[in-house]
Amino acid sequence: MVTSFPYLSAICYCPLVAVLIILFLPPDRKNAIRWISVASGAVSLALTLAIYVMYDRSVGGFQFVERATWVESLGIHYYFAVDGINLPMVLLTSITLLTGVWTMWGLETRVKEYFALMLFMVVGVYGVFLSLDLFFLFVFYDVSLFPMYPLIAIWGTTRKEYGALKLTLYLLAGSALVLPGILYVYFQAWIFTFDLVQIAQVGLPKNAQLIAFFLFLFGFGVLAGLWPFHTWSPVGHVAAPTAVSMIHAGVLMKLGAYGVLRVGMFLCPLGLEHWAPLMAVLATIGIVYGAFVGLAQTDLKYVIGYSSVSHMGLVSLGLATATVGGINGAVFQMFSHGVMTALLFSSVGHLYDKTHTKMIPELGGMAKVMPATSFFFIFAALAGIGVPCLSSFWAELLVFIHAFRVYPVLGLFAILGLVVSALFMLRVAQKAFYGEKNTRFADKPDMSLIMRFPRAMLAGTLLLFGLLPRLMLDLINGSVSVFVQGLK
């Protein structure tokens, strides 16, 4: 579909316009800065919903294409488009952006710098999901990573400098593998363009695909939390402020998995065939490891962090099956996990703001003190467990079925990981929100009605796509089916 209005550029650069406006405002205009941030998130979400509805599922393929040559001699093009794979990721980003900035309404420290950096980071996230030119994809990829350090080091908690530094070093190491991979693909294709679609159509020599896929798997895999390169993730989640944790676990980790799919698997199908068993083994170790380590945690944010490692392992396992159902499940899981994790971190953020603790043994009976906060946390935890009628159920079911068909032993271990995940989430809910009430927190206020709204949006999204999964799966399936046919 071609339209006269550049929807995709408008979605991507709406937060950038907000950043420019914020930079010209004096720091003491805090409410104006908050309103501009929320408005940019609302506009981006409205535009995303518009293209989600207008996307022609009967035609499929890339739609809303925006393409212009930038540096012709180097084959660099400004090339934005959406299909059934990246449109759910753009929707996830828009939902998380709006709910994230809304959640941080009460921030009082360096408000101007915080919202400017956060919105700038989201511009990079949108750019990665929308770019079909490898040069722009890499530039946006780095734009999305650099604001993480100041956001965590300045506004974070709990060993924030260590968490920020570790996260930055790991992600830069991953980026250092992605760049050589892109340049290697550029020269091996012999058409000297960064156009991802053109390179895929021409194809790469088999040996080049083996090397390039290895670089992309581990380069993007670091950001996806692929075991054993996941250790930055729980530390970063714990140290980051609430909205950054929401964007971080909800969206940024998806950039890594999306990069493996869109760049690695799209350009290197023979590389995928060669490395898929290793990818499946590492993914399964991540699922089981994340579940067992999460079981031993006493900090709520660490619990969510290791739960994310386990759930992102499911995404990698689904991709490694190289089947329509498995990849459908992986993409759906990326969306569902992003929304679920954002809701978990959002709920814990309110709990921490009021009690100044995230330690599970210090809590107890919080369902009586903060019923709304407790409801949203438990709702998200149930989604993570894979309870029917919530979107994660369909995503995890698809991954398990197809993982079991392609890798029966690994499929069994993955199911074991889910059982352990369910155990530690139920344990957290029981210890923190039920049982004996801690009288120290008996007078702490629950979240206000206005602050319940962004959490309700996230919960409603999980329920909507759980009750009507075809709203998402039909969209994903149209593009994944074509993609998998190209692998054969």
Side-chain angles (χ1 to χ4, degrees):
M1 176 181 286
V2 178
T3 64
S4 56
F5 183 76
Y7 282 94
L8 306 186
S9 292
I11 292 169
C12 182
Y13 301 123
C14 182
L16 185 61
V17 172
V19 170
L20 296 175
I21 296 172
I22 288 172
L23 291 180
F24 282 100
L25 287 174
D28 59 348
R29 296 285 303 277
K30 294 180 180 178
N31 276 339
I33 292 167
R34 295 177 183 121
W35 276 115
I36 289 167
S37 302
V38 170
S40 73
V43 172
S44 293
L45 179 57
L47 291 170
T48 304
L49 290 174
I51 63 168
Y52 195 88
V53 172
M54 289 191 290
Y55 184 89
D56 191 340
R57 289 162 171 75
S58 64
V59 175
F62 293 115
Q63 299 182 22
F64 300 95
V65 177
E66 298 170 20
R67 195 174 193 281
T69 300
W70 191 48
V71 181
E72 189 170 8
S73 60
L74 294 175
I76 301 174
H77 307 275
Y78 180 82
Y79 188 4
F80 276 5
V82 288
D83 65 355
I85 294 174
N86 61 354
L87 186 48
M89 299 301 102
V90 176
L91 179 61
L92 168 65
T93 307
S94 296
I95 293 172
T96 311
L97 169 62
L98 177 59
T99 55
V101 294
W102 197 330
T103 300
M104 292 300 288
W105 189 273
L107 179 75
E108 291 293 340
T109 306
R110 302 177 70 172
V111 175
K112 176 176 177 174
E113 293 92 332
Y114 175 84
F115 282 108
L117 282 169
M118 185 175 168
L119 292 170
F120 188 65
M121 176 175 68
V122 174
V123 173
V125 174
Y126 276 132
V128 173
F129 286 140
L130 293 172
S131 292
L132 291 179
D133 182 280
L134 290 171
F135 177 84
F136 275 96
L137 188 147
F138 183 75
V139 170
F140 281 119
Y141 186 76
D142 278 349
V143 166
S144 70
L145 301 184
F146 285 126
M148 289 300 294
Y149 183 85
L151 281 169
I152 295 177
I154 297 173
W155 291 275
T157 58
T158 317
R159 301 172 72 198
K160 56 186 182 181
E161 290 85 3
Y162 171 74
L165 185 61
K166 184 172 185 178
L167 177 147
T168 304
L169 290 175
Y170 266 73
L171 300 190
L172 287 178
S175 185
L177 289 176
V178 171
L179 180 58
I182 289 175
L183 293 175
Y184 185 68
V185 163
Y186 176 83
F187 288 109
Q188 286 294 318
W190 285 100
I191 54 174
F192 304 110
T193 177
F194 287 95
D195 186 322
L196 194 146
V197 178
Q198 283 189 22
I199 295 173
Q201 289 171 345
V202 170
L204 296 166
K206 181 178 179 180
N207 286 339
Q209 292 193 33
L210 299 186
I211 296 170
F213 187 84
F214 181 87
L215 293 172
F216 292 135
L217 173 61
F218 290 101
F220 287 118
V222 172
L223 187 52
L226 183 67
W227 188 91
F229 308 106
H230 64 282
T231 58
W232 61 271
S233 171
V235 176
H237 293 338
V238 171
T242 298
V244 175
S245 293
M246 291 169 67
I247 296 282
H248 185 197
V251 180
L252 274 179
M253 291 184 80
K254 312 305 175 292
L255 290 186
Y258 176 79
V260 173
L261 172 58
R262 177 65 88 199
V263 181
M265 295 170 65
F266 196 64
L267 296 181
C268 312
L270 296 176
L272 169 66
E273 183 181 343
H274 181 82
W275 294 110
L278 174 64
M279 184 177 170
V281 169
L282 296 179
T284 306
I285 294 174
I287 294 168
V288 177
Y289 171 86
F292 275 99
V293 176
L295 191 62
Q297 300 305 309
T298 55
D299 184 310
L300 277 173
K301 277 197 165 185
Y302 267 116
V303 169
I304 304 170
Y306 281 105
S307 166
S308 290
V309 172
S310 185
H311 281 101
M312 286 306 294
L314 280 178
V315 173
S316 298
L317 183 60
L319 296 179
T321 64
T323 60
V324 174
I327 298 174
N328 281 345
V331 176
F332 201 4
Q333 174 70 357
M334 282 194 257
F335 177 83
S336 300
H337 175 259
V339 177
M340 174 198 75
T341 309
L343 184 55
L344 283 171
F345 278 117
S346 173
S347 304
V348 172
H350 178 81
L351 198 65
Y352 180 75
D353 287 344
K354 302 304 176 188
T355 63
H356 301 293
T357 183
K358 307 185 296 294
M359 303 308 294
I360 298 168
E362 296 179 15
L363 300 169
M366 297 307 294
K368 295 176 182 173
V369 181
M370 299 181 184
T373 306
S374 305
F375 168 78
F376 287 125
F377 183 94
I378 294 169
F379 188 91
L382 292 176
I385 291 170
V387 169
C389 296
L390 299 176
S391 60
S392 297
F393 168 77
W394 302 106
E396 293 175 6
L397 183 66
L398 281 168
V399 171
F400 285 136
I401 289 174
H402 292 276
F404 190 74
R405 286 179 178 171
V406 180
Y407 308 105
V409 176
L410 298 180
L412 283 174
F413 276 107
I415 293 171
L416 170 67
L418 179 70
V419 173
V420 177
S421 290
L423 281 176
F424 77 68
M425 275 300 182
L426 292 173
R427 182 186 68 92
V428 168
Q430 192 275 326
K431 287 185 176 295
F433 300 103
Y434 296 99
E436 188 176 349
K437 186 167 63 178
N438 187 336
T439 54
R440 189 155 58 102
F441 306 129
D443 60 343
K444 299 299 179 186
D446 201 358
M447 60 179 67
S448 64
L449 283 176
I450 195 71
M451 295 310 291
R452 293 178 194 183
F453 191 78
R455 279 88 173 185
M457 276 182 62
L458 295 167
T461 302
L462 291 170
L463 186 61
L464 173 66
F465 289 107
L467 293 174
L468 302 171
R470 289 188 61 184
L471 285 177
M472 181 68 72
L473 279 174
D474 286 355
L475 172 70
I476 298 170
N477 187 63
S479 294
V480 170
S481 298
V482 175
F483 171 69
V484 172
Q485 285 175 6
L487 295 177
K488 298 175 181 175

